[in-house]
Amino acid sequence: MNVMGHGRKAASLAAAAILAIGGVAGCAKEDTGGTTESGVKLVKTGALTTCTHLPYAPFQSKDQSGKVVGFDVALIDLVATKLGVTQEIVDTPFEGIKSGSDLNAGKCDVAAAGMTITDERKKVLDFSDPYFDATQALAVLTGKEVKTLEELVGKRLGVQGGTTGEEYINTQVKEKNLKIEVVSYKDLAALQQALATNQVVAAVNDLPVWNEYIKANPGKVVVATGFDTGEQYGFAVKKGNAELLKNVNEALAASRTDGTYDKIYATWIGEKPAA
Ligand code: GLN
């Protein structure tokens, strides 16, 4: 009994010691952020941490090796290089990105998610200069035809939750009093899957992501019509993070003058539309 008692006590003391060591080591390892040589504060030492919402090809998606690549990734890599650090990408729901809560919580330094600059989002985020022009597009399975939203009355139309495409459709449906069943999916992959499996008759999202989907899945879907929403994408930083924003804008501007932007555009998007 006694021996057992001692044994237990010794074991629990040892466990406490291990916990204590673990605790200390945990504290020492905790990264409270870093500052680049040029004086820009970052949430993690040696890294420019980017929040994004996967998948959103051609702006960000995983390649066959699992690496996140794309148009936005390539542009933010330029910012990271300018700061002398490497980009690290965090995949997180779009809601936390567009609401500013991820940036405010220090989850990342910058948001790069094919995100449209809107007045509402400007209230909670500081946007970079625009880096991409986009419109909304309605895709259907090959062989089907839809030219107007009116043709979708009584049918199911898919959108992606939290996006400008969803907002555009909801506004149209309300204004025109159209009895369309708008179904919201949590991400692009779920929306595309719903369209491919006929759960919705049509799906709305940004035009470049449909173009990319059609390239990757030839013959499956077509863009039936477009809505010229005149959107522009911007990268975002936490409200008030002027130092980082300046670096983002400078890297963007430099890429436009030295031809890097055009190269990245050609790689990920394709031919540039005539200005
Ligand atoms: N451009 C759209 C928006 O900002 C979609 C972005 C996305 O789904 N990643 O809402």
Side-chain angles (χ1 to χ4, degrees):
M1 271 307 262
N2 234 348
V3 174
M4 252 183 90
H6 268 117
R8 245 191 237 144
K9 198 169 179 193
S12 65
L13 274 175
I18 288 165
L19 272 178
I21 292 164
V24 170
C27 265
K29 256 192 255 155
E30 203 175 296
D31 193 343
T32 52
T35 306
T36 66
E37 267 174 40
S38 55
V40 177
K41 286 202 182 65
L42 299 170
V43 296
K44 234 178 127 184
T45 310
L48 178 64
T49 312
T50 303
C51 277
T52 200
H53 181 48
L54 298 174
Y56 209 65
F59 301 98
Q60 45 269 319
S61 63
K62 284 188 180 166
D63 70 7
Q64 275 160 347
S65 72
K67 195 171 164 237
V68 180
V69 295
F71 184 76
D72 289 2
V73 179
L75 286 177
I76 296 297
D77 270 344
L78 301 176
V79 182
T81 304
K82 180 174 162 64
L83 295 172
V85 297
T86 38
Q87 179 179 191
E88 273 184 23
I89 296 176
V90 178
D91 180 22
T92 183
F94 194 62
E95 195 58 45
I97 295 176
K98 71 161 191 175
S99 67
S101 63
D102 289 337
L103 286 163
N104 292 344
K107 202 177 203 177
C108 43
D109 301 296
V110 63
M115 180 163 56
T116 304
I117 303 171
T118 70
D119 286 341
E120 200 187 337
R121 294 173 187 173
K122 271 192 205 165
K123 290 183 197 151
V124 289
L125 300 166
D126 280 348
F127 279 103
S128 71
D129 294 332
Y131 68 89
F132 190 85
D133 294 338
T135 57
Q136 293 299 316
L138 183 136
V140 294
L141 291 182
T142 304
K144 299 220 168 123
E145 250 184 65
V146 177
K147 288 281 162 243
T148 62
L149 285 179
E150 283 75 4
E151 292 163 53
L152 292 172
V153 168
K155 303 202 169 114
R156 285 160 67 88
L157 168 61
V159 295
Q160 186 189 333
T163 62
T164 47
E166 176 182 60
E167 204 180 308
Y168 175 80
I169 290 301
N170 283 338
T171 308
Q172 291 294 309
V173 162
K174 209 168 159 194
E175 272 177 11
K176 298 181 176 160
N177 195 22
L178 301 170
K179 301 274 175 277
I180 297 171
E181 191 185 340
V182 180
V183 190
S184 184
Y185 292 89
K186 74 173 192 322
D187 59 32
L188 178 67
L191 175 69
Q192 290 174 331
Q193 175 71 7
L195 179 63
T197 55
N198 259 312
Q199 287 165 53
V200 289
V201 172
V204 166
N205 212 298
D206 297 26
L207 177 61
V209 304
W210 288 124
N211 288 340
E212 183 66 22
Y213 184 74
I214 290 164
K215 245 192 265 168
N217 305 274
K220 213 168 192 173
V221 313
V222 290
V223 170
T225 189
F227 309 108
D228 195 0
T229 48
E231 292 172 54
Q232 290 191 305
Y233 293 174
F235 298 121
V237 299
K238 182 178 164 173
K239 268 228 153 291
N241 191 352
E243 252 327 289
L244 179 57
L245 192 61
K246 184 169 161 266
N247 278 272
V248 173
N249 282 332
E250 282 172 1
L252 268 177
S255 77
R256 295 224 193 228
T257 33
D258 71 9
T260 313
Y261 179 93
D262 286 347
K263 264 193 222 147
I264 292 172
Y265 196 103
T267 303
W268 295 105
I269 314 292
E271 213 162 294
K272 231 174 162 183

